[in-house]
Amino acid sequence: MNNNSSLVSNLSRRGFISLAGAAALTASMSACAAGGGSGNAAGSTTLKFWDMPWGPTGYAEEAEKLAKSFQGAGNIKDIGYQQVLWNGFNETYSSAIASKTGPAVSTGGGFQSFQYAAQGAVEYADKLIESFKSDGLYDDFLPHVLDAMKTPEGYVAVPWAVDIQTLWYRKSVLDAAGVAAPTTWDEFLEAGKKIAAKGYYAWGISGGSGNFGPMAILSLMINNGGGLFNEGGELDIVTERNTETAEFVIEAVKAGLTDPGAVSLKDDDLVTQWTNKKVGMGFYYLGLDDQLADKDIVVMDPLKGPHGDTGTIQYVNNIMMYKNTPSLEASEAFVTHYLKNMKVLWEKKLVTQLPALKSIAEASFFTASQSNVDIVNKWQPVAKTLASQGSQSSAKLAAIDGGQAMADFCQTLLGGKTDAKTALTKLHGDIKSVTSS
Amino acid sequence: MALLIAPSVLILLLTNAYPIAYAAFQAVHNGSLINSGEFVGLDNFARVLGGEAFWKAAGFTLVFTFTGVFGSWISGLGLALLLQKRIPARGFLKTILLLPWVVPVVVSSTSWNWLLATDSSPIPSLFRTLGLGEVRFLSDPFLAQVTVCLFIVWLNFPFMMLMMSAALTSVDESIYEAAKIDGATPRQQFIHMTLPIIAKPTYISWVLMTIFCVNEFPAIYLLTHGGPVGSTSTLVVLAYRTVFQNFQTGPGVAIAFMMTVALATVATILFRQIRKSRVE
């Protein structure tokens, strides 16, 4: 008789089953955070503000300083600042909101406010936005960014930044390949082949964990006058324009423009490739040149698609207020404070987004960068949201943004072993499945 | 007596029964993590079973679990037999072999990813240097599946090695001496003596390893995120994605419930086997 035999004698069949059952349910149990304490209880003097890592090192420290410079309102004397990592942020917010231990105010995913508003957890910002009309803030927003927050029920949040995907290129690499910055899709392919022939990754794209790959593909779809939705806001993916886009990506992959291992490349790996001067061209956020402190990296003009269209994707990032707050007045006062003082984040080059406010976008510290100016003047006017070609954002977009359907689609195209229609048909089915209630 | 076990029963109820009951509630509702939603009966189960992703994930879960259980058992048993022999630096070797199990899975997954993910990673570079061509361990769907299966074996063989070492330690050496005198070959001794003697701990380790493998999440998610194109998604990864990426709580919990049924079935079968071996 050994130790294990004694274990056997102590185990019952029911014990085994309950052990198996409990173990299998582990994944779902984390989702079952119902009830719980109230982290924003009335009477609390601290307002909880959760923020995401929106920029390079130094962002969190500065953002916390900015948040804590809030002088308070009513009984609220202090701000509790917390950074939430992108990795698993949905779980963090969902669990916290379900257990009523979440923030009173937060930034977050582009469509998070729509999602939680639909679930009754977010406070609409109509009253706050109305108050902006009297202090000039209302007119300071870039065109259309406020509208992007509007639903039939009201404004789900207040915009603070615009995450816009633009094409960048490394000038020395293009020079080495003897090509000029492309202006059309055809030129992009031709230039890419010459760059690849020199041993570079002509088109830097990452399809593994992260969101760069799907965003690049979506940018191209919108660039070609396509997108996931039609003008009526209905899911409409297997279209002529999207088929052309998918064929373009597959052709680029087959022509060797991308890293053969791009399917599993993480976003961080892509940044490393840019840093190590291995990439010729590719999509990235505003400020890639500043982030890498490398003036050899230049923003491209928007490419013209096969039909002459231009465009890219943008995400209007926002600050949302939750119903679980010790004081709605304090939440509103805090958001106003944050917007009115956030220019320091761009002044210190700590954010890789466009500011949602014209006063910051026109400030000398921002316009001192030619790439910033080009992005504001050339890219932002042609940028559209994930709801494109429709105009109304909704909670459904949260399941698409950063979801598996787009990641699988991107990986399928980057694998290069598919045809456009098959890949698009699967994408349509996958997105329909996650957006139908 | 009832009073004495009451605290334990209460804790068990709170930690097991309540979450299971709440999960059952969610599985038949169309709610979210925040709202309970409306009662939809078995619609969530039908929806999950009607989707291609479920069957794809179920298939890979079977392969992954089978490889994980028997791969780690065979390697664990082999090493346990080796470590029974008087070999130099046996203690040191045992410590080294335990490392995959001791190191946090976050660290080992990240390390494997670093070793394999890109063309410039050390292992693909080595393959290239050896003239074996471009091998894309995590980009090719089939190779990614193979890699994930190897990873789970690597993670779990130390556990099996410990279990089998403990089982082998209790075997009386004199029966082998008697078998040798009777002319039994080492192979015959292993098949007809060693394996039957360690049958009970073997079955237990299979049950435990089956549960570990079916529920394994961090190793897969950190290494491949279930990709490429969902090729390394097991049911637990699919459940996670369904709940937290697609925000479909009901279908996600329904997947977890079906896993529970499958695991309970496997556990019951193996339990019978254990009882049978006890009688024998």
Side-chain angles (χ1 to χ4, degrees):
Chain A
M1 175 79 55
N2 57 37
N3 293 339
N4 295 316
S5 301
S6 64
L7 176 61
V8 173
S9 62
N10 291 329
L11 275 173
S12 69
R13 183 192 316 227
R14 203 169 288 170
F16 262 121
I17 293 172
S18 56
L19 174 64
L25 279 164
T26 304
S28 63
M29 289 311 99
S30 60
C32 301
S38 177
N40 282 317
S44 168
T45 58
T46 300
L47 191 80
K48 286 162 74 175
F49 174 53
W50 288 9
D51 196 17
M52 310 303 295
W54 290 109
T57 313
Y59 169 79
E61 193 184 340
E62 197 61 42
E64 181 171 9
K65 209 186 292 176
L66 166 62
K68 286 189 178 285
S69 67
F70 177 56
Q71 295 298 307
N75 289 331
I76 301 301
K77 307 292 179 201
D78 191 25
I79 293 293
Y81 181 88
Q82 184 180 326
Q83 270 240 335
V84 178
L85 296 179
W86 283 113
N87 196 5
F89 79 102
N90 281 327
E91 300 92 295
T92 308
Y93 277 100
S94 296
S95 304
I97 291 167
S99 60
K100 300 195 189 309
T101 56
V105 179
S106 86
T107 60
F111 304 101
Q112 185 174 316
S113 48
F114 293 89
Q115 180 192 1
Y116 292 135
Q119 295 176 20
V122 155
E123 196 73 59
Y124 288 95
D126 293 45
K127 192 174 140 237
L128 176 62
I129 288 171
E130 189 61 29
S131 75
F132 292 162
K133 289 180 178 170
S134 59
D135 64 7
L137 197 53
Y138 187 88
D139 295 323
D140 198 14
F141 283 98
L142 288 173
H144 312 305
V145 294
L146 265 177
D147 291 343
M149 295 292 101
K150 205 169 183 179
T151 68
E153 291 76 30
Y155 290 97
V156 295
V158 182
W160 75 279
V162 180
D163 183 350
I164 186 166
Q165 290 287 302
T166 61
L167 272 166
W168 296 81
Y169 66 96
R170 186 173 278 284
K171 193 172 179 310
S172 60
V173 170
L174 268 63
D175 289 346
V179 294
T183 58
T184 66
W185 283 20
D186 286 342
E187 286 179 19
F188 184 88
L189 279 177
E190 288 313 308
K193 286 173 191 169
K194 288 178 182 165
I195 294 167
K198 290 283 177 186
Y200 297 100
Y201 299 127
W203 177 14
I205 183 168
S206 52
S209 65
N211 210 15
F212 283 3
M215 285 197 294
I217 305 285
L218 280 165
S219 295
L220 286 170
M221 286 164 90
I222 292 169
N223 182 178
N224 194 31
L228 302 179
F229 301 89
N230 59 27
E231 287 178 357
E234 292 158 340
L235 194 66
D236 191 11
I237 293 177
V238 192
T239 62
E240 187 193 332
R241 295 299 180 97
N242 288 342
T243 304
E244 285 173 354
T245 306
E247 283 169 349
F248 171 77
V249 176
I250 293 166
E251 189 180 347
V253 170
K254 287 184 174 168
L257 267 65
T258 57
D259 180 343
V263 171
S264 60
L265 211 63
K266 292 181 290 186
D267 289 352
D268 288 347
D269 296 328
L270 180 60
V271 175
T272 305
Q273 289 185 346
W274 273 106
T275 307
N276 294 341
K277 304 183 179 183
K278 288 184 174 176
V279 174
M281 308 179 285
F283 282 95
Y284 200 78
Y285 307 108
L286 173 142
L288 178 62
D289 48 352
D290 284 336
Q291 189 181 332
L292 302 184
D294 191 342
K295 292 299 170 191
D296 189 29
I297 298 172
V298 184
V299 74
M300 209 180 276
D301 285 353
L303 292 181
K304 280 187 181 163
H307 305 276
D309 302 275
T310 54
T312 189
I313 194 161
Q314 68 174 7
Y315 297 82
V316 178
N317 289 321
N318 48 83
I319 306 183
M320 61 209 91
M321 302 179 292
Y322 297 85
K323 287 191 172 167
N324 184 40
T325 175
S327 159
L328 178 58
E329 288 69 29
S331 292
E332 290 175 338
F334 173 74
V335 174
T336 307
H337 163 82
Y338 202 85
L339 288 169
K340 286 186 172 175
N341 296 281
M342 66 182 182
K343 70 175 180 186
V344 65
L345 299 174
W346 281 272
E347 211 167 358
K348 295 190 175 180
K349 297 183 175 179
L350 293 171
V351 186
T352 55
Q353 335 271 315
L354 272 179
L357 299 179
K358 284 185 269 186
S359 57
I360 302 175
E362 290 165 359
S364 57
F365 58 79
F366 189 80
T367 56
S369 161
Q370 186 57 43
S371 64
N372 285 353
V373 174
D374 288 345
I375 290 169
V376 170
N377 292 337
K378 296 174 181 174
W379 286 89
Q380 208 270 330
V382 298
K384 292 180 177 175
T385 70
L386 187 60
S388 182
Q389 295 292 321
S391 56
Q392 179 74 63
S393 294
S394 70
K396 289 176 179 177
L397 298 180
I400 301 173
D401 179 30
Q404 202 51 41
M406 273 309 300
D408 282 356
F409 177 63
C410 174
Q411 290 174 348
T412 303
L413 295 186
L414 292 180
K417 294 173 185 168
T418 186
D419 65 273
K421 282 249 163 88
T422 305
L424 286 165
T425 304
K426 183 168 185 310
L427 176 66
H428 187 98
D430 288 350
I431 290 186
K432 193 175 175 189
S433 153
V434 299
T435 54
S436 60
S437 50
Chain B
M1 186 67 176
L3 211 59
L4 281 174
I5 62 165
S8 306
V9 171
L10 192 67
I11 289 168
L12 273 174
L13 276 175
L14 286 172
T15 55
N16 284 329
Y18 171 71
I20 290 173
Y22 191 68
F25 175 86
Q26 286 181 309
V28 291
H29 284 75
N30 66 352
S32 66
L33 295 172
I34 299 171
N35 297 322
S36 53
E38 292 168 4
F39 178 75
V40 293
L42 297 176
D43 281 4
N44 289 328
F45 291 89
R47 186 172 176 171
V48 165
L49 290 170
E52 186 196 340
F54 175 82
W55 296 106
K56 195 175 168 186
F60 183 63
T61 304
L62 278 178
V63 173
F64 176 77
T65 304
F66 185 85
T67 316
V69 172
F70 293 104
S72 59
W73 177 68
I74 290 167
S75 48
L77 177 61
L79 287 164
L81 287 167
L82 177 73
L83 290 172
Q84 266 204 318
K85 300 189 184 306
R86 294 188 185 284
I87 54 172
R90 188 167 62 160
F92 176 72
L93 196 59
K94 202 179 263 186
T95 310
I96 291 290
L97 287 169
L98 280 176
L99 279 179
W101 202 49
V102 174
V103 171
V105 71
V106 175
V107 176
S108 46
S109 303
T110 309
S111 304
W112 272 59
N113 191 289
W114 176 78
L115 284 168
L116 297 165
T118 68
D119 277 7
S120 53
S121 297
I123 304 288
S125 298
L126 179 68
F127 271 60
R128 212 166 31 245
T129 308
L130 295 173
L132 298 171
E134 301 290 344
V135 185
R136 303 204 166 87
F137 292 96
L138 301 183
S139 305
D140 178 86
F142 175 71
L143 279 181
Q145 289 182 331
V146 173
T147 305
V148 167
C149 287
L150 283 174
F151 184 48
I152 196 70
V153 171
W154 180 83
L155 272 182
N156 287 320
F157 82 81
F159 171 78
M160 283 295 197
M161 187 182 77
L162 281 182
M163 292 284 283
M164 294 301 105
S165 290
L168 290 168
T169 307
S170 64
V171 179
D172 188 350
E173 283 294 323
S174 63
I175 62 169
Y176 288 106
E177 285 161 18
K180 268 185 206 166
I181 293 166
D182 290 341
T185 63
R187 187 172 166 274
Q188 286 171 324
Q189 288 173 36
F190 178 72
I191 291 172
H192 299 295
M193 294 170 63
T194 307
L195 285 183
I197 290 169
I198 63 168
K200 279 181 269 186
T202 296
Y203 289 139
I204 291 169
S205 62
W206 285 357
V207 174
L208 291 175
M209 193 53 67
T210 301
I211 294 167
F212 291 165
C213 288
V214 171
N215 287 319
E216 182 59 63
F217 177 78
I220 300 171
Y221 203 72
L222 291 169
L223 188 60
T224 64
H225 274 69
V229 202
S231 58
T232 58
S233 268
T234 56
L235 286 172
V236 75
V237 172
L238 182 68
Y240 168 84
R241 285 173 161 176
T242 308
V243 173
F244 290 110
Q245 290 184 341
N246 298 343
F247 307 115
Q248 295 172 320
T249 310
V253 178
I255 293 170
F257 256 101
M258 287 187 271
M259 286 169 60
T260 307
V261 172
L263 270 179
T265 308
V266 171
T268 306
I269 293 166
L270 287 169
F271 182 80
R272 280 189 183 151
Q273 204 61 39
I274 293 167
R275 286 188 67 191
K276 204 171 139 193
S277 67
R278 194 193 311 179
V279 171
E280 283 163 359

